[in-house]
């Protein structure tokens, strides 16, 4: 994990440290996914999930804009007015821990809070006109993920300031002068909107409401590529952080051009496999559905996987590095302030490696199981129950492959 802090391992040390053998974990996970698939075929014979697309309407209140402005200043000013290191600055913690992982976790309980405090839209109006496509947001997300995962100094306050200022100017210009909606051009807005669909705190039937919310998420043109980008980026990050990756590529793994190439390869593979699964479904069903239509409609089935990837991959940052927030906020702009008297840094590693690994495995499996459920329901809706198992073989294979890759990364150093 190429971050501003000392890297936390995705695995818990070596395969010998696992509470159960790695092969057992992988084989058991395959059986869990396959049995879910079989049970759905037997018991889920008609579509039950509401996939009607909900309109996105997010008015940013004045208080939210004020908070967003403070966040924007804390992300930009430290890198421009001081020479504070990444280990002391509030900017990298705010971006890579609070915004990148903390807010998605909070969205499980409070829904889409990011749209209220979004720092990139504090000067933008919330356009309600018909949206065009998600391609601009996809391109900007690709650049943002490259900066986080490939660039050598993603935690540098100066680099964060330059990148975030560029993003702010881009989003403001597109919404102000091109009349684009934030959902089309703001990659962080899209990311948090999608993850907020996983909210679990509805009083009445929380699981059912969450599944319906995921299924009714936006179907804007190109949204499927955004899902694939999220999965592909974390896939690269996980694999490139393992010893096996370094053993395979040696010093090449330290070359930014090679890493950029492999970053794009991982994303391209995920996109290619997803598009093939859509093509396979159409060909097997012998229907006349357009592949772009099916690709767009099935996009939300990837959301539980990308959310599980994101949470499990970065949760250690939130649990441990998140404890430094008072220490870093003690001098938010690197000007020598002492706001809280927090002069000593202390981190309590209160979760054992095995406990953290167990949580990661459970969340990973739950995400992939939910993806199988969503894909099955949509397959029944568009293609019927008769050959729904054969139609889903490619989707099932993709889900299993992603499950194994995720568990491998979590289980090895």
């Amino acid at each position: 994990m190429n971050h501003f802090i000392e890297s936390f391992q995705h695995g818990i040390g070596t395969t010998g440290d696992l509470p159960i053998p790695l092969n057992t974990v992988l084989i058991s996970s395959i059986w869990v996914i396959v049995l879910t698939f079989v049970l759905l075929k037997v018991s889920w014979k008609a579509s039950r999930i509401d996939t009607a697309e909900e309109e996105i309407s997010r008015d940013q209140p004045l208080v939210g804009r004020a908070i967003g402005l403070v966040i924007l200043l804390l992300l930009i000013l430290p890198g421009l007015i001081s020479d504070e290191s990444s280990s002391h600055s509030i900017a990298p913690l705010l971006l890579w821990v609070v915004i990148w992982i903390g807010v998605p976790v909070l969205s499980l309980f409070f829904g889409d809070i990011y749209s209220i405090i979004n720092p990139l839209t504090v000067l933008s109006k919330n356009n309600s006109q018909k949206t065009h496509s998600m391609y601009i947001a996809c391109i900007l997300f690709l650049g943002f993920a490259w900066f986080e995962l490939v660039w050598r100094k993603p935690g540098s306050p100066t680099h964060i300031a330059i990148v975030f200022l560029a993003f702010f100017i881009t989003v403001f210009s597109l919404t102000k002068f091109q009349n684009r909606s934030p959902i089309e051009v703001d990659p962080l807005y899209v990311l948090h909107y999608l993850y907020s669909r996983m909210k679990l705190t509805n009083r009445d039937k929380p699981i059912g409401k969450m599944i319906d919310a995921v299924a009714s998420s936006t179907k804007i043109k190109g949204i499927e590529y955004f899902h694939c980008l999220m999965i592909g980026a974390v896939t690269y990050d996980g694999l490139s952080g393992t010893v096996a990756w370094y053993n395979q590529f040696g010093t090449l793994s330290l070359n930014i051009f090679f890493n950029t190439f492999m970053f794009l390869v991982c994303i391209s593979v995920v996109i290619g496999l997803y598009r093939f699964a859509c093509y396979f479904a159409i060909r097997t069903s012998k229907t006349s559905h357009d592949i772009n239509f099916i690709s767009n409609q099935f996009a939300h089935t990837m959301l539980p996987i990308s959310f599980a990837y994101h949470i499990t991959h970065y949760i250690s940052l939130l649990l441990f590095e998140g404890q430094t927030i008072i220490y870093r906020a003690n001098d938010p702009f690197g000007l020598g302030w002492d706001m809280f008297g927090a002069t000593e840094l202390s981190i309590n590693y209160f979760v054992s490696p095995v406990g953290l690994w167990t949580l990661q495995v459970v969340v990973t499996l739950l995400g992939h199981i939910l993806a199988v459920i969503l894909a099955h329901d949509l397959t029944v809706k568009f293609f019927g129950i008769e050959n729904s198992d054969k139609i889903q073989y490619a989707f099932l294979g993709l889900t299993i492959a992603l499950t194994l890759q995720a568990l491998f990364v979590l289980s090895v150093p």
Side-chain angles (χ1 to χ4, degrees):
M1 177 184 275
N2 184 18
H3 269 292
F4 59 95
I5 60 170
E6 182 179 353
S7 176
F8 289 105
Q9 292 292 335
H10 308 302
I12 63 174
T14 67
T15 54
D17 296 327
L18 297 176
I20 52 179
L22 177 57
N23 286 342
T24 302
V25 175
L26 299 180
I27 294 172
S28 300
S29 300
I30 293 174
W31 276 111
V32 168
I33 301 299
V34 171
L35 287 176
T36 301
F37 177 78
V38 173
L39 289 174
L40 289 171
K41 172 63 177 179
V42 174
S43 61
W44 199 303
K45 298 183 180 296
S47 177
R48 307 175 188 176
I49 300 174
D50 182 10
T51 58
E53 182 179 357
E54 292 184 2
E55 182 180 352
I56 301 174
S57 180
R58 299 286 192 275
D59 291 322
Q60 195 169 9
L62 183 60
V63 173
R65 289 181 184 272
I67 296 173
L69 180 60
V70 171
I71 294 173
L72 182 65
L73 294 177
L74 288 174
L75 287 170
I76 293 176
L77 289 184
L80 298 182
I81 65 177
S82 73
D83 58 355
E84 197 174 26
S85 68
S86 61
S87 61
H88 293 81
S89 176
I90 187 67
L93 180 84
L94 190 57
L95 180 58
W96 301 124
V97 178
V98 177
I99 293 177
W100 193 241
I101 178 62
V103 175
V105 170
L106 288 177
S107 69
L108 283 172
F109 307 98
F110 304 106
D112 188 8
I113 60 176
Y114 182 80
S115 65
I116 299 174
I117 60 172
N118 187 354
L120 291 178
T121 58
V122 292
L123 299 181
S124 304
K125 62 179 180 178
N126 184 21
N127 299 328
S128 58
Q129 77 280 3
K130 183 178 179 181
T131 53
H132 301 84
S133 72
M134 194 70 72
Y135 296 133
I136 295 177
C138 287
I139 293 171
L140 291 178
F141 181 81
L142 185 67
F144 189 83
W146 179 88
F147 171 66
E148 182 207 4
L149 304 176
V150 180
W151 185 246
R152 293 188 180 96
K153 296 182 179 180
S156 165
T158 301
H159 295 184
I160 288 175
I162 294 171
V163 169
F164 215 83
L165 183 60
F167 268 70
F168 174 77
I169 293 172
T170 301
V171 171
F172 173 76
S173 300
L174 290 170
T175 54
K176 179 70 174 179
F177 303 112
Q178 297 295 319
N179 208 31
R180 294 279 189 168
S181 171
I183 195 69
E184 295 180 274
V185 299
D186 182 350
L188 290 177
Y189 182 97
V190 180
L191 177 88
H192 289 90
Y193 158 75
L194 291 173
Y195 285 166
S196 70
R197 312 301 287 180
M198 301 292 295
K199 180 182 176 182
L200 283 169
T201 53
N202 293 293
R203 292 183 179 180
D204 181 35
K205 299 179 180 179
I207 301 299
K209 290 288 182 64
M210 180 267 287
I211 291 176
D212 284 338
V214 171
S216 60
S217 57
T218 182
K219 304 295 189 298
I220 297 175
K221 186 178 180 181
I223 186 64
E224 64 269 38
Y225 296 109
F226 198 94
H227 285 285
C228 291
L229 284 171
M230 292 192 294
I231 294 174
V234 179
T235 296
Y236 165 79
D237 192 16
L239 291 174
S240 64
T242 62
V243 173
W245 182 277
Y246 182 81
N247 289 340
Q248 179 67 36
F249 300 114
T251 55
L252 265 180
S253 61
L254 305 176
N255 183 285
I256 193 170
F257 296 104
F258 173 79
N259 288 334
T260 299
F261 172 74
M262 295 306 295
F263 170 72
L264 295 174
V265 166
C266 287
I267 290 173
S268 299
V269 168
V270 173
I271 293 175
L273 291 175
Y274 175 74
R275 292 284 290 186
F276 173 76
C278 295
Y279 171 79
F280 183 88
I282 295 171
R283 293 286 294 182
T284 305
S285 66
K286 298 180 181 180
T287 59
S288 58
H289 288 299
D290 178 69
I291 187 172
N292 292 321
F293 171 78
I294 293 298
S295 176
N296 179 268
Q297 293 297 309
F298 274 79
H300 67 265
T301 66
M302 304 287 281
L303 177 55
I305 296 177
S306 63
F307 184 80
Y309 267 38
H310 195 90
I311 295 298
T312 58
H313 199 72
Y314 300 114
I315 191 65
S316 61
L317 279 175
L318 179 63
L319 294 178
F320 304 131
E321 190 68 17
Q323 297 177 40
T324 68
I325 189 167
I326 299 299
Y327 172 77
R328 293 171 181 271
N330 192 53
D331 182 16
F333 298 108
L335 299 177
W337 298 357
D338 185 12
M339 297 179 62
F340 307 110
T343 58
E344 294 185 5
L345 178 62
S346 177
I347 298 179
N348 179 14
Y349 295 93
F350 59 93
V351 181
S352 69
V354 172
L356 182 60
W357 175 83
T358 301
L359 173 65
Q360 291 170 320
V361 169
V362 170
V363 171
T364 297
L365 285 177
L366 288 176
H368 288 78
I369 288 171
L370 181 54
V372 173
I373 293 173
L374 290 167
H376 174 81
D377 184 87
L378 208 55
T379 299
V380 172
K381 179 178 180 178
F382 283 115
F383 303 108
I385 189 62
E386 292 78 12
N387 297 312
S388 61
D389 52 347
K390 296 178 182 179
I391 293 170
Q392 292 183 81
Y393 283 162
F395 280 111
L396 179 64
L398 174 59
T399 304
I400 290 175
L402 292 174
T403 304
L404 295 179
Q405 183 277 139
L407 294 178
F408 173 79
V409 167
L410 293 174
S411 303
V412 301

